[in-house]
Amino acid sequence: MAKLAMFSALLGAVWLLAMMVIGGATYPGYNHLSQYISELGATGAPYGREISWYGFLPVGILIITFAMSALVAAPRSILSVLGFIGIILFAVGYIGATFFPCDYGCRPEEPSPSQVMHLIFGLAGYLFAPPTMLFLGLAARKWPNAGWLSLFGMIAAVTSLIGFLTLDPGSPFAGLSQRVLEASVIGWVAACGLYLGLQPRAR
């Protein structure tokens, strides 16, 4: 399970990065600093359906696979269980974005039902991201040779909170704030995957 956790974490992180790079390159005028990632898969966006089904959906499945594998492979504690459940909740946002794409631009004055569901799925994961990172950072303090991973989790808790609190749709840096939040969580996921896959006694 540790190897599966490592594989799914690393592939999920790379897949997400590739989706943003390729999606942004195929979206005329797209600005990573000001625009949300979800805009790449929005209704009416260039290749929106492809981004949703071949981008968001695989990322969500891979991150959920990591979290479920890590639940088995990592040392068990209440904090680690709560943390990995939080990762699953975060990843469900990607799957929600697949089936409920946001309206074009993701900032409609009159949101469609799909837009409303998109926000519910996304905000649920984002809201719990800071405590999720805190729980996992605290849990990793008791894992063998995981001091660096614990520190990473603590830093990720702070940066994800900053990203969430500055995630203002009217901000010219809304896209940057979202990417800071995403990078905090997915970066820790990739690091934890490496730890579990390369640390034989982490089980």
Side-chain angles (χ1 to χ4, degrees), residues 168-180:
D168 178 4
S171 169
F173 300 106
L176 177 61
S177 294
Q178 184 186 37
R179 283 158 178 77
V180 167

Side-chain angles (χ1 to χ4, degrees), residues 10-191:
L10 295 178
L11 184 57
V14 171
W15 204 295
L16 177 61
L17 180 61
M19 180 191 75
M20 288 191 291
V21 172
I22 296 173
T26 57
Y27 192 125
Y30 185 84
N31 188 324
H32 289 278
L33 293 179
S34 62
Q35 292 182 262
Y36 292 132
I37 300 171
S38 295
E39 294 185 50
L40 296 172
T43 301
Y47 305 103
R49 181 176 177 81
E50 290 79 5
I51 292 293
S52 293
W53 286 95
Y54 304 124
F56 288 122
L57 184 60
V59 170
I61 291 173
L62 286 166
I63 301 305
I64 289 174
T65 300
F66 157 79
M68 295 181 68
S69 302
L71 270 171
V72 177
R76 185 70 59 87
S77 68
I78 293 176
L79 287 174
S80 68
V81 170
L82 289 175
F84 287 123
I85 290 175
I87 294 294
I88 291 173
L89 182 61
F90 186 87
V92 165
Y94 295 117
I95 296 177
T98 302
F99 295 98
F100 302 103
C102 65
D103 298 338
Y104 186 77
C106 292
R107 299 170 177 84
E109 294 184 2
E110 298 182 4
S112 68
S114 181
Q115 171 78 26
V116 173
M117 291 300 298
H118 181 92
L119 288 176
I120 291 174
F121 276 99
L123 286 178
Y126 281 177
L127 179 62
F128 290 106
T132 290
M133 292 294 95
L134 179 61
F135 292 158
L136 290 170
L138 291 172
R141 290 190 304 173
K142 298 183 178 180
W143 298 357
N145 306 314
W148 64 275
L149 188 61
S150 175
L151 178 60
F152 192 163
M154 302 295 190
I155 294 173
V158 174
T159 54
S160 62
L161 179 60
I162 292 172
F164 180 76
L165 293 177
T166 58
L167 199 59
D168 178 4
S171 169
F173 300 106
L176 177 61
S177 294
Q178 184 186 37
R179 283 158 178 77
V180 167
L181 195 163
E182 292 270 348
S184 299
V185 177
I186 301 302
W188 190 90
V189 164

